[in-house]
Amino acid sequence: MAIQIVMDRTGDSRHLFNPDDKRELAKAEQRFCELTNAGFTAAVRTGPGQASQIRSFDPNAEETVFFPRLVGG
């Protein structure tokens, strides 16, 4: 199972999906596109305590984290 973690001001929401299931994979890719188009930054874990930003959906990523755009004043 793979997971997409969406961070927001209330904490996070987690979306598990099976990358071998075409329907679940398509839904995960759609979520990726919707979030990144809304301004979220996507990152995948590359090692212990390390992450790398990605700009396109990676169906092989075990964990993708979405960070909201920072709003300053």
Short mmCIF file of all heavy atoms in Angstrom, two decimals:
data_model
loop_
_atom_site.label_atom_id
_atom_site.label_comp_id
_atom_site.label_asym_id
_atom_site.label_seq_id
_atom_site.Cartn_x
_atom_site.Cartn_y
_atom_site.Cartn_z
N MET A 1 0.84 -1.18 0.00
CA MET A 1 0.00 0.00 0.00
C MET A 1 0.88 1.24 0.00
O MET A 1 1.91 1.28 0.65
CB MET A 1 -0.88 0.03 1.24
CG MET A 1 -1.97 -1.04 1.27
SD MET A 1 -3.11 -0.94 -0.08
CE MET A 1 -4.31 0.18 0.55
N ALA A 2 0.44 2.23 -0.72
CA ALA A 2 1.10 3.53 -0.75
C ALA A 2 0.19 4.52 -0.03
O ALA A 2 -0.99 4.25 0.21
CB ALA A 2 1.34 3.96 -2.19
N ILE A 3 0.76 5.67 0.32
CA ILE A 3 -0.01 6.66 1.06
C ILE A 3 0.30 8.06 0.56
O ILE A 3 1.43 8.37 0.19
CB ILE A 3 0.26 6.54 2.58
CG1 ILE A 3 -0.68 7.43 3.37
CG2 ILE A 3 1.71 6.85 2.90
CD1 ILE A 3 -0.69 7.15 4.86
N GLN A 4 -0.75 8.88 0.54
CA GLN A 4 -0.61 10.31 0.28
C GLN A 4 -1.07 11.02 1.56
O GLN A 4 -2.18 10.77 2.05
CB GLN A 4 -1.47 10.76 -0.90
CG GLN A 4 -0.98 10.19 -2.22
CD GLN A 4 -1.89 10.56 -3.37
OE1 GLN A 4 -3.10 10.58 -3.25
NE2 GLN A 4 -1.28 10.85 -4.51
N ILE A 5 -0.19 11.86 2.11
CA ILE A 5 -0.48 12.59 3.34
C ILE A 5 -0.63 14.06 2.98
O ILE A 5 0.28 14.67 2.42
CB ILE A 5 0.65 12.40 4.36
CG1 ILE A 5 0.85 10.91 4.65
CG2 ILE A 5 0.35 13.18 5.65
CD1 ILE A 5 2.08 10.60 5.46
N VAL A 6 -1.79 14.61 3.30
CA VAL A 6 -2.09 16.00 2.98
C VAL A 6 -2.09 16.80 4.28
O VAL A 6 -2.94 16.59 5.15
CB VAL A 6 -3.46 16.13 2.26
CG1 VAL A 6 -3.72 17.58 1.88
CG2 VAL A 6 -3.52 15.23 1.05
N MET A 7 -1.12 17.71 4.41
CA MET A 7 -1.01 18.57 5.59
C MET A 7 -1.90 19.80 5.39
O MET A 7 -2.00 20.32 4.29
CB MET A 7 0.43 19.02 5.79
CG MET A 7 1.45 17.90 5.82
SD MET A 7 1.21 16.73 7.14
CE MET A 7 1.59 17.75 8.55
N ASP A 8 -2.55 20.23 6.48
CA ASP A 8 -3.29 21.49 6.44
C ASP A 8 -3.33 22.08 7.84
O ASP A 8 -2.72 21.55 8.77
CB ASP A 8 -4.69 21.31 5.85
CG ASP A 8 -5.61 20.44 6.68
OD1 ASP A 8 -5.36 20.24 7.89
OD2 ASP A 8 -6.61 19.95 6.13
N ARG A 9 -4.05 23.16 8.01
CA ARG A 9 -4.03 23.88 9.29
C ARG A 9 -4.66 23.08 10.43
O ARG A 9 -4.46 23.38 11.59
CB ARG A 9 -4.72 25.24 9.14
CG ARG A 9 -6.16 25.17 8.74
CD ARG A 9 -6.76 26.56 8.58
NE ARG A 9 -8.10 26.52 8.04
CZ ARG A 9 -9.17 26.21 8.74
NH1 ARG A 9 -9.07 25.95 10.00
NH2 ARG A 9 -10.35 26.17 8.16
N THR A 10 -5.40 22.03 10.11
CA THR A 10 -6.03 21.22 11.15
C THR A 10 -5.25 19.94 11.45
O THR A 10 -5.66 19.17 12.30
CB THR A 10 -7.47 20.84 10.74
OG1 THR A 10 -7.41 20.03 9.56
CG2 THR A 10 -8.32 22.06 10.48
N GLY A 11 -4.17 19.72 10.76
CA GLY A 11 -3.38 18.51 10.95
C GLY A 11 -3.07 17.86 9.61
O GLY A 11 -2.48 18.48 8.75
N ASP A 12 -3.52 16.63 9.42
CA ASP A 12 -3.30 15.97 8.15
C ASP A 12 -4.42 14.97 7.87
O ASP A 12 -5.13 14.56 8.77
CB ASP A 12 -1.94 15.27 8.11
CG ASP A 12 -1.83 14.11 9.10
OD1 ASP A 12 -2.47 13.07 8.86
OD2 ASP A 12 -1.10 14.25 10.09
N SER A 13 -4.53 14.63 6.59
CA SER A 13 -5.43 13.55 6.18
C SER A 13 -4.59 12.56 5.39
O SER A 13 -3.64 12.94 4.70
CB SER A 13 -6.61 14.08 5.35
OG SER A 13 -6.16 14.77 4.22
N ARG A 14 -4.92 11.30 5.52
CA ARG A 14 -4.13 10.24 4.90
C ARG A 14 -5.01 9.45 3.92
O ARG A 14 -6.13 9.10 4.25
CB ARG A 14 -3.55 9.32 5.97
CG ARG A 14 -2.56 10.08 6.84
CD ARG A 14 -2.21 9.35 8.11
NE ARG A 14 -1.31 10.18 8.89
CZ ARG A 14 0.01 10.01 8.93
NH1 ARG A 14 0.56 9.03 8.26
NH2 ARG A 14 0.76 10.83 9.65
N HIS A 15 -4.45 9.21 2.75
CA HIS A 15 -5.17 8.51 1.69
C HIS A 15 -4.34 7.31 1.24
O HIS A 15 -3.32 7.48 0.56
CB HIS A 15 -5.44 9.45 0.52
CG HIS A 15 -6.11 10.72 0.91
ND1 HIS A 15 -7.48 10.82 1.01
CD2 HIS A 15 -5.62 11.93 1.26
CE1 HIS A 15 -7.79 12.05 1.40
NE2 HIS A 15 -6.68 12.73 1.55
N LEU A 16 -4.75 6.14 1.65
CA LEU A 16 -4.07 4.90 1.25
C LEU A 16 -4.58 4.46 -0.12
O LEU A 16 -5.76 4.63 -0.43
CB LEU A 16 -4.33 3.79 2.26
CG LEU A 16 -3.73 3.99 3.65
CD1 LEU A 16 -4.31 2.95 4.61
CD2 LEU A 16 -2.23 3.88 3.60
N PHE A 17 -3.68 3.90 -0.92
CA PHE A 17 -4.11 3.34 -2.19
C PHE A 17 -3.18 2.20 -2.59
O PHE A 17 -2.02 2.15 -2.20
CB PHE A 17 -4.18 4.41 -3.29
CG PHE A 17 -2.85 5.00 -3.69
CD1 PHE A 17 -2.15 4.49 -4.77
CD2 PHE A 17 -2.29 6.05 -2.98
CE1 PHE A 17 -0.92 5.03 -5.14
CE2 PHE A 17 -1.08 6.58 -3.34
CZ PHE A 17 -0.38 6.08 -4.42
N ASN A 18 -3.73 1.28 -3.36
CA ASN A 18 -2.97 0.15 -3.88
C ASN A 18 -2.47 0.52 -5.27
O ASN A 18 -3.27 0.67 -6.19
CB ASN A 18 -3.87 -1.09 -3.94
CG ASN A 18 -3.17 -2.30 -4.47
OD1 ASN A 18 -2.04 -2.23 -4.96
ND2 ASN A 18 -3.82 -3.44 -4.39
N PRO A 19 -1.16 0.66 -5.45
CA PRO A 19 -0.64 1.05 -6.76
C PRO A 19 -0.85 0.00 -7.85
O PRO A 19 -0.70 0.30 -9.02
CB PRO A 19 0.85 1.30 -6.51
CG PRO A 19 1.16 0.71 -5.20
CD PRO A 19 -0.12 0.55 -4.45
N ASP A 20 -1.25 -1.21 -7.45
CA ASP A 20 -1.52 -2.26 -8.43
C ASP A 20 -2.97 -2.24 -8.91
O ASP A 20 -3.33 -2.96 -9.85
CB ASP A 20 -1.20 -3.64 -7.85
CG ASP A 20 0.28 -3.79 -7.53
OD1 ASP A 20 1.11 -3.25 -8.29
OD2 ASP A 20 0.60 -4.45 -6.52
N ASP A 21 -3.80 -1.41 -8.28
CA ASP A 21 -5.21 -1.28 -8.65
C ASP A 21 -5.35 -0.03 -9.53
O ASP A 21 -5.14 1.09 -9.07
CB ASP A 21 -6.07 -1.14 -7.38
CG ASP A 21 -7.55 -1.05 -7.67
OD1 ASP A 21 -7.96 -0.29 -8.59
OD2 ASP A 21 -8.32 -1.69 -6.94
N LYS A 22 -5.69 -0.24 -10.78
CA LYS A 22 -5.73 0.87 -11.74
C LYS A 22 -6.69 1.98 -11.32
O LYS A 22 -6.39 3.16 -11.50
CB LYS A 22 -6.12 0.35 -13.13
CG LYS A 22 -5.06 -0.48 -13.78
CD LYS A 22 -5.48 -0.95 -15.15
CE LYS A 22 -4.40 -1.83 -15.76
NZ LYS A 22 -4.75 -2.29 -17.09
N ARG A 23 -7.82 1.62 -10.75
CA ARG A 23 -8.79 2.62 -10.34
C ARG A 23 -8.26 3.46 -9.16
O ARG A 23 -8.37 4.68 -9.17
CB ARG A 23 -10.11 1.96 -9.95
CG ARG A 23 -11.26 2.93 -9.90
CD ARG A 23 -12.57 2.29 -9.58
NE ARG A 23 -12.74 0.98 -10.20
CZ ARG A 23 -13.81 0.26 -10.14
NH1 ARG A 23 -14.86 0.71 -9.48
NH2 ARG A 23 -13.90 -0.93 -10.71
N GLU A 24 -7.67 2.81 -8.17
CA GLU A 24 -7.10 3.52 -7.03
C GLU A 24 -5.91 4.37 -7.46
O GLU A 24 -5.73 5.49 -6.98
CB GLU A 24 -6.67 2.54 -5.94
CG GLU A 24 -7.83 1.90 -5.21
CD GLU A 24 -7.39 1.02 -4.06
OE1 GLU A 24 -6.26 1.20 -3.53
OE2 GLU A 24 -8.17 0.13 -3.68
N LEU A 25 -5.11 3.86 -8.38
CA LEU A 25 -3.95 4.60 -8.88
C LEU A 25 -4.41 5.86 -9.62
O LEU A 25 -3.84 6.94 -9.44
CB LEU A 25 -3.10 3.72 -9.78
CG LEU A 25 -1.76 4.30 -10.21
CD1 LEU A 25 -0.86 4.52 -9.02
CD2 LEU A 25 -1.09 3.35 -11.20
N ALA A 26 -5.45 5.75 -10.42
CA ALA A 26 -5.98 6.91 -11.15
C ALA A 26 -6.51 7.95 -10.18
O ALA A 26 -6.31 9.16 -10.38
CB ALA A 26 -7.07 6.47 -12.11
N LYS A 27 -7.17 7.51 -9.11
CA LYS A 27 -7.69 8.44 -8.11
C LYS A 27 -6.55 9.15 -7.38
O LYS A 27 -6.61 10.35 -7.13
CB LYS A 27 -8.57 7.69 -7.11
CG LYS A 27 -9.31 8.57 -6.15
CD LYS A 27 -10.29 7.77 -5.31
CE LYS A 27 -11.05 8.67 -4.36
NZ LYS A 27 -12.00 7.92 -3.55
N ALA A 28 -5.48 8.43 -7.08
CA ALA A 28 -4.31 9.02 -6.43
C ALA A 28 -3.64 10.04 -7.34
O ALA A 28 -3.22 11.11 -6.90
CB ALA A 28 -3.31 7.94 -6.02
N GLU A 29 -3.55 9.73 -8.62
CA GLU A 29 -2.95 10.67 -9.57
C GLU A 29 -3.83 11.92 -9.70
O GLU A 29 -3.31 13.04 -9.76
CB GLU A 29 -2.75 10.02 -10.94
CG GLU A 29 -2.06 10.93 -11.93
CD GLU A 29 -1.67 10.22 -13.21
OE1 GLU A 29 -2.14 9.09 -13.45
OE2 GLU A 29 -0.88 10.82 -13.97
N GLN A 30 -5.13 11.74 -9.71
CA GLN A 30 -6.05 12.88 -9.79
C GLN A 30 -5.89 13.76 -8.55
O GLN A 30 -5.84 14.98 -8.64
CB GLN A 30 -7.49 12.41 -9.91
CG GLN A 30 -8.49 13.54 -9.96
CD GLN A 30 -9.93 13.05 -10.06
OE1 GLN A 30 -10.19 11.85 -10.15
NE2 GLN A 30 -10.85 13.97 -10.02
N ARG A 31 -5.79 13.13 -7.36
CA ARG A 31 -5.60 13.89 -6.12
C ARG A 31 -4.29 14.67 -6.19
O ARG A 31 -4.22 15.83 -5.81
CB ARG A 31 -5.58 12.95 -4.92
CG ARG A 31 -5.47 13.66 -3.59
CD ARG A 31 -5.47 12.71 -2.39
NE ARG A 31 -6.68 11.90 -2.35
CZ ARG A 31 -6.72 10.58 -2.57
NH1 ARG A 31 -5.62 9.92 -2.85
NH2 ARG A 31 -7.86 9.93 -2.53
N PHE A 32 -3.22 14.04 -6.70
CA PHE A 32 -1.93 14.70 -6.85
C PHE A 32 -2.08 15.96 -7.71
O PHE A 32 -1.62 17.04 -7.33
CB PHE A 32 -0.91 13.76 -7.49
CG PHE A 32 0.45 14.37 -7.65
CD1 PHE A 32 1.43 14.15 -6.70
CD2 PHE A 32 0.75 15.16 -8.75
CE1 PHE A 32 2.69 14.72 -6.84
CE2 PHE A 32 2.01 15.74 -8.89
CZ PHE A 32 2.98 15.52 -7.94
N CYS A 33 -2.73 15.83 -8.85
CA CYS A 33 -2.90 16.96 -9.76
C CYS A 33 -3.75 18.07 -9.13
O CYS A 33 -3.40 19.25 -9.25
CB CYS A 33 -3.52 16.49 -11.08
SG CYS A 33 -2.43 15.44 -12.05
N GLU A 34 -4.82 17.70 -8.48
CA GLU A 34 -5.69 18.70 -7.85
C GLU A 34 -4.93 19.47 -6.77
O GLU A 34 -5.03 20.70 -6.69
CB GLU A 34 -6.92 18.04 -7.25
CG GLU A 34 -7.91 17.55 -8.28
CD GLU A 34 -9.05 16.71 -7.70
OE1 GLU A 34 -9.05 16.44 -6.47
OE2 GLU A 34 -9.93 16.32 -8.48
N LEU A 35 -4.18 18.76 -5.94
CA LEU A 35 -3.46 19.42 -4.85
C LEU A 35 -2.33 20.31 -5.37
O LEU A 35 -2.17 21.44 -4.92
CB LEU A 35 -2.93 18.39 -3.87
CG LEU A 35 -4.00 17.71 -3.01
CD1 LEU A 35 -3.43 16.49 -2.30
CD2 LEU A 35 -4.60 18.68 -2.02
N THR A 36 -1.54 19.81 -6.29
CA THR A 36 -0.43 20.63 -6.81
C THR A 36 -0.95 21.81 -7.61
O THR A 36 -0.38 22.90 -7.54
CB THR A 36 0.56 19.79 -7.63
OG1 THR A 36 -0.13 19.11 -8.68
CG2 THR A 36 1.30 18.78 -6.75
N ASN A 37 -2.06 21.65 -8.32
CA ASN A 37 -2.66 22.78 -9.04
C ASN A 37 -3.23 23.82 -8.08
O ASN A 37 -3.33 25.00 -8.42
CB ASN A 37 -3.74 22.31 -10.00
CG ASN A 37 -3.18 21.62 -11.21
OD1 ASN A 37 -2.02 21.79 -11.56
ND2 ASN A 37 -3.99 20.80 -11.86
N ALA A 38 -3.59 23.39 -6.86
CA ALA A 38 -4.11 24.30 -5.84
C ALA A 38 -2.98 24.97 -5.05
O ALA A 38 -3.25 25.73 -4.13
CB ALA A 38 -5.05 23.55 -4.90
N GLY A 39 -1.73 24.65 -5.38
CA GLY A 39 -0.60 25.31 -4.74
C GLY A 39 0.14 24.48 -3.71
O GLY A 39 1.10 24.97 -3.11
N PHE A 40 -0.26 23.24 -3.49
CA PHE A 40 0.46 22.39 -2.55
C PHE A 40 1.80 21.96 -3.15
O PHE A 40 1.91 21.78 -4.36
CB PHE A 40 -0.34 21.14 -2.21
CG PHE A 40 -1.44 21.36 -1.21
CD1 PHE A 40 -2.62 21.97 -1.58
CD2 PHE A 40 -1.29 20.93 0.11
CE1 PHE A 40 -3.64 22.17 -0.66
CE2 PHE A 40 -2.30 21.13 1.04
CZ PHE A 40 -3.48 21.75 0.65
N THR A 41 2.80 21.78 -2.29
CA THR A 41 4.09 21.24 -2.69
C THR A 41 4.08 19.75 -2.36
O THR A 41 3.69 19.36 -1.25
CB THR A 41 5.23 21.94 -1.93
OG1 THR A 41 5.21 23.32 -2.26
CG2 THR A 41 6.58 21.35 -2.28
N ALA A 42 4.51 18.93 -3.29
CA ALA A 42 4.56 17.48 -3.09
C ALA A 42 6.00 17.04 -2.89
O ALA A 42 6.91 17.52 -3.56
CB ALA A 42 3.96 16.76 -4.30
N ALA A 43 6.18 16.13 -1.94
CA ALA A 43 7.51 15.59 -1.67
C ALA A 43 7.41 14.10 -1.37
O ALA A 43 6.41 13.64 -0.83
CB ALA A 43 8.15 16.32 -0.49
N VAL A 44 8.47 13.38 -1.73
CA VAL A 44 8.54 11.95 -1.42
C VAL A 44 9.73 11.72 -0.49
O VAL A 44 10.73 12.43 -0.56
CB VAL A 44 8.68 11.06 -2.68
CG1 VAL A 44 7.44 11.14 -3.54
CG2 VAL A 44 9.90 11.43 -3.48
N ARG A 45 9.59 10.73 0.38
CA ARG A 45 10.67 10.40 1.30
C ARG A 45 11.77 9.68 0.51
O ARG A 45 11.50 8.74 -0.23
CB ARG A 45 10.15 9.50 2.41
CG ARG A 45 11.14 9.27 3.51
CD ARG A 45 10.57 8.48 4.67
NE ARG A 45 9.32 8.99 5.18
CZ ARG A 45 9.21 9.97 6.08
NH1 ARG A 45 10.28 10.57 6.52
NH2 ARG A 45 8.02 10.34 6.52
N THR A 46 13.02 10.17 0.68
CA THR A 46 14.15 9.57 -0.03
C THR A 46 15.08 8.83 0.92
O THR A 46 15.98 8.13 0.47
CB THR A 46 14.95 10.65 -0.78
OG1 THR A 46 15.38 11.64 0.16
CG2 THR A 46 14.11 11.27 -1.88
N GLY A 47 14.88 8.98 2.21
CA GLY A 47 15.70 8.31 3.21
C GLY A 47 15.26 8.76 4.58
O GLY A 47 14.37 9.61 4.71
N PRO A 48 15.88 8.23 5.61
CA PRO A 48 15.50 8.63 6.97
C PRO A 48 15.68 10.13 7.18
O PRO A 48 16.80 10.65 7.05
CB PRO A 48 16.46 7.83 7.86
CG PRO A 48 16.95 6.71 7.00
CD PRO A 48 16.93 7.23 5.61
N GLY A 49 14.59 10.83 7.44
CA GLY A 49 14.64 12.27 7.66
C GLY A 49 14.92 13.09 6.42
O GLY A 49 15.21 14.28 6.51
N GLN A 50 14.80 12.50 5.24
CA GLN A 50 15.09 13.20 3.99
C GLN A 50 13.89 13.09 3.05
O GLN A 50 13.22 12.07 3.01
CB GLN A 50 16.32 12.61 3.31
CG GLN A 50 17.58 12.73 4.12
CD GLN A 50 18.75 12.09 3.40
OE1 GLN A 50 18.65 11.64 2.28
NE2 GLN A 50 19.89 12.06 4.07
N ALA A 51 13.67 14.17 2.31
CA ALA A 51 12.59 14.19 1.33
C ALA A 51 13.04 14.97 0.11
O ALA A 51 13.97 15.78 0.18
CB ALA A 51 11.34 14.82 1.92
N SER A 52 12.39 14.73 -1.00
CA SER A 52 12.72 15.41 -2.24
C SER A 52 11.42 15.88 -2.89
O SER A 52 10.46 15.12 -3.00
CB SER A 52 13.46 14.46 -3.18
OG SER A 52 13.77 15.09 -4.40
N GLN A 53 11.40 17.14 -3.32
CA GLN A 53 10.22 17.68 -3.98
C GLN A 53 10.03 17.01 -5.34
O GLN A 53 11.00 16.73 -6.05
CB GLN A 53 10.37 19.19 -4.18
CG GLN A 53 9.15 19.82 -4.82
CD GLN A 53 9.28 21.33 -4.96
OE1 GLN A 53 10.27 21.92 -4.55
NE2 GLN A 53 8.29 21.95 -5.55
N ILE A 54 8.76 16.74 -5.66
CA ILE A 54 8.45 16.20 -6.98
C ILE A 54 7.41 17.09 -7.64
O ILE A 54 6.63 17.76 -6.97
CB ILE A 54 7.95 14.73 -6.92
CG1 ILE A 54 6.70 14.60 -6.04
CG2 ILE A 54 9.05 13.82 -6.43
CD1 ILE A 54 6.06 13.22 -6.08
N ARG A 55 7.42 17.12 -8.95
CA ARG A 55 6.50 17.98 -9.70
C ARG A 55 5.52 17.19 -10.55
O ARG A 55 4.61 17.74 -11.15
CB ARG A 55 7.28 18.95 -10.57
CG ARG A 55 8.19 19.87 -9.75
CD ARG A 55 8.68 21.03 -10.57
NE ARG A 55 9.75 21.79 -9.99
CZ ARG A 55 9.70 22.50 -8.88
NH1 ARG A 55 8.61 22.50 -8.17
NH2 ARG A 55 10.73 23.20 -8.44
N SER A 56 5.71 15.86 -10.60
CA SER A 56 4.77 15.02 -11.33
C SER A 56 4.51 13.77 -10.50
O SER A 56 5.32 13.37 -9.68
CB SER A 56 5.31 14.67 -12.72
OG SER A 56 6.53 13.99 -12.61
N PHE A 57 3.37 13.16 -10.74
CA PHE A 57 2.94 11.99 -9.98
C PHE A 57 3.91 10.83 -10.18
O PHE A 57 4.30 10.52 -11.30
CB PHE A 57 1.53 11.58 -10.44
CG PHE A 57 1.00 10.37 -9.74
CD1 PHE A 57 0.63 10.44 -8.41
CD2 PHE A 57 0.85 9.17 -10.40
CE1 PHE A 57 0.14 9.32 -7.74
CE2 PHE A 57 0.36 8.05 -9.76
CZ PHE A 57 0.00 8.13 -8.43
N ASP A 58 4.32 10.22 -9.08
CA ASP A 58 5.20 9.05 -9.12
C ASP A 58 4.42 7.84 -8.60
O ASP A 58 4.20 7.72 -7.40
CB ASP A 58 6.44 9.28 -8.25
CG ASP A 58 7.39 8.10 -8.26
OD1 ASP A 58 7.08 7.06 -8.87
OD2 ASP A 58 8.46 8.22 -7.63
N PRO A 59 3.98 6.94 -9.48
CA PRO A 59 3.18 5.80 -9.06
C PRO A 59 3.96 4.81 -8.19
O PRO A 59 3.36 3.95 -7.55
CB PRO A 59 2.74 5.16 -10.37
CG PRO A 59 3.74 5.59 -11.36
CD PRO A 59 4.21 6.95 -10.92
N ASN A 60 5.28 4.93 -8.15
CA ASN A 60 6.10 4.02 -7.36
C ASN A 60 6.46 4.56 -5.98
O ASN A 60 7.09 3.86 -5.19
CB ASN A 60 7.39 3.68 -8.12
CG ASN A 60 7.09 3.00 -9.43
OD1 ASN A 60 6.34 2.05 -9.49
ND2 ASN A 60 7.66 3.52 -10.50
N ALA A 61 6.07 5.79 -5.68
CA ALA A 61 6.37 6.39 -4.38
C ALA A 61 5.53 5.73 -3.30
O ALA A 61 4.31 5.62 -3.44
CB ALA A 61 6.11 7.89 -4.41
N GLU A 62 6.19 5.29 -2.24
CA GLU A 62 5.46 4.66 -1.14
C GLU A 62 4.74 5.70 -0.29
O GLU A 62 3.70 5.42 0.28
CB GLU A 62 6.41 3.85 -0.27
CG GLU A 62 6.94 2.61 -0.96
CD GLU A 62 7.85 1.81 -0.05
OE1 GLU A 62 7.72 1.90 1.18
OE2 GLU A 62 8.69 1.08 -0.59
N GLU A 63 5.34 6.91 -0.18
CA GLU A 63 4.75 7.96 0.64
C GLU A 63 4.97 9.30 -0.03
O GLU A 63 6.10 9.67 -0.33
CB GLU A 63 5.40 7.96 2.03
CG GLU A 63 4.87 9.03 2.95
CD GLU A 63 5.55 9.00 4.31
OE1 GLU A 63 5.28 8.06 5.07
OE2 GLU A 63 6.36 9.90 4.57
N THR A 64 3.88 10.02 -0.27
CA THR A 64 3.95 11.37 -0.81
C THR A 64 3.28 12.29 0.20
O THR A 64 2.18 12.01 0.67
CB THR A 64 3.22 11.48 -2.16
OG1 THR A 64 3.75 10.50 -3.06
CG2 THR A 64 3.38 12.86 -2.77
N VAL A 65 3.98 13.37 0.55
CA VAL A 65 3.45 14.34 1.50
C VAL A 65 3.18 15.64 0.75
O VAL A 65 3.99 16.09 -0.06
CB VAL A 65 4.44 14.60 2.66
CG1 VAL A 65 3.87 15.60 3.65
CG2 VAL A 65 4.79 13.30 3.35
N PHE A 66 2.02 16.24 1.02
CA PHE A 66 1.62 17.49 0.40
C PHE A 66 1.61 18.59 1.45
O PHE A 66 0.92 18.47 2.47
CB PHE A 66 0.23 17.36 -0.24
CG PHE A 66 0.18 16.36 -1.36
CD1 PHE A 66 -0.10 15.03 -1.10
CD2 PHE A 66 0.44 16.75 -2.65
CE1 PHE A 66 -0.13 14.09 -2.12
CE2 PHE A 66 0.41 15.83 -3.68
CZ PHE A 66 0.12 14.51 -3.42
N PHE A 67 2.38 19.65 1.20
CA PHE A 67 2.47 20.79 2.11
C PHE A 67 1.74 21.97 1.50
O PHE A 67 1.96 22.28 0.33
CB PHE A 67 3.93 21.20 2.34
CG PHE A 67 4.77 20.09 2.90
CD1 PHE A 67 5.52 19.27 2.09
CD2 PHE A 67 4.82 19.87 4.27
CE1 PHE A 67 6.31 18.25 2.59
CE2 PHE A 67 5.60 18.85 4.81
CZ PHE A 67 6.34 18.05 3.96
N PRO A 68 0.90 22.67 2.28
CA PRO A 68 0.20 23.83 1.72
C PRO A 68 1.15 25.00 1.51
O PRO A 68 2.22 25.07 2.13
CB PRO A 68 -0.85 24.16 2.80
CG PRO A 68 -0.26 23.65 4.06
CD PRO A 68 0.55 22.44 3.67
N ARG A 69 0.76 25.88 0.65
CA ARG A 69 1.51 27.10 0.41
C ARG A 69 1.49 27.94 1.68
O ARG A 69 0.47 28.05 2.36
CB ARG A 69 0.85 27.88 -0.73
CG ARG A 69 1.58 29.11 -1.13
CD ARG A 69 0.91 29.77 -2.29
NE ARG A 69 0.72 28.80 -3.36
CZ ARG A 69 0.01 29.02 -4.45
NH1 ARG A 69 -0.59 30.16 -4.62
NH2 ARG A 69 -0.12 28.08 -5.36
N LEU A 70 2.63 28.50 2.03
CA LEU A 70 2.71 29.36 3.20
C LEU A 70 2.07 30.72 2.89
O LEU A 70 2.27 31.25 1.79
CB LEU A 70 4.15 29.56 3.64
CG LEU A 70 4.87 28.31 4.16
CD1 LEU A 70 6.31 28.66 4.48
CD2 LEU A 70 4.17 27.75 5.37
N VAL A 71 1.34 31.24 3.83
CA VAL A 71 0.70 32.54 3.66
C VAL A 71 1.32 33.48 4.67
O VAL A 71 1.29 33.23 5.87
CB VAL A 71 -0.82 32.43 3.88
CG1 VAL A 71 -1.46 33.80 3.74
CG2 VAL A 71 -1.44 31.45 2.91
N GLY A 72 1.94 34.52 4.16
CA GLY A 72 2.59 35.48 5.04
C GLY A 72 1.82 36.79 5.12
O GLY A 72 0.87 37.02 4.39
N GLY A 73 2.21 37.62 6.00
CA GLY A 73 1.49 38.86 6.17
C GLY A 73 2.40 39.96 6.29
O GLY A 73 2.53 41.02 6.01
#
